[in-house]
Amino acid sequence: MGYNVRSYATCVALLTDPRPRDQQCIIIDIDTPKVDGIDLLRAMRAGGWRGKGILLARIPPESEVLREAERHGDKVLDHAIGDGRLIAAIATSIGSGLEEWSAGV
């Protein structure tokens, strides 16, 4: 599978670049200092982005982050998900034919 991958050093860099608005999937590590993945997705959506987010985190199964992610069709996955399962999650989020998310928290 070929993906158009872009990396950003900061959330500000991501938010000020118009190109991500056209992407179907954004992966965000929310366990880093100064970054709130849910706030970042809110800002992206406010700017017109309509994709899905994959949030990499270490959070309890009943957290508010999980509930908000589910409301938008986003997924929260553990950092240790592994490459194969992460690629399957990306493929599913952009609708490339995989039937179900094959990765869980």
Side-chain angles (χ1 to χ4, degrees):
M1 287 180 204
Y3 293 110
N4 178 12
V5 177
R6 181 170 277 111
S7 177
Y8 294 89
T10 66
C11 292
V12 172
L14 171 66
L15 291 171
T16 58
D17 183 352
R19 293 174 289 185
R21 307 285 182 288
D22 298 329
Q23 301 304 312
Q24 297 173 332
C25 177
I26 293 178
I27 302 169
I28 302 166
D29 183 343
I30 63 173
D31 286 337
T32 57
K34 301 180 186 178
V35 176
D36 183 325
I38 294 294
D39 285 344
L40 179 61
L41 290 179
R42 284 182 195 135
M44 292 290 295
R45 289 187 171 107
W49 179 67
R50 299 292 173 246
K52 301 294 180 196
I54 297 176
L55 304 164
L56 301 177
R58 288 181 207 96
I59 59 173
E62 294 300 321
S63 75
E64 181 58 33
V65 170
L66 276 176
R67 287 189 288 278
E68 182 162 348
E70 289 172 358
R71 282 193 296 269
H72 292 286
D74 301 324
K75 290 292 178 184
V76 179
L77 306 173
D78 189 85
H79 284 103
I81 186 172
D83 292 346
R85 290 175 50 176
L86 181 57
I87 290 169
I90 294 166
T92 300
S93 76
I94 61 175
S96 65
L98 296 177
E99 297 302 319
E100 307 232 354
W101 287 90
S102 61
V105 174

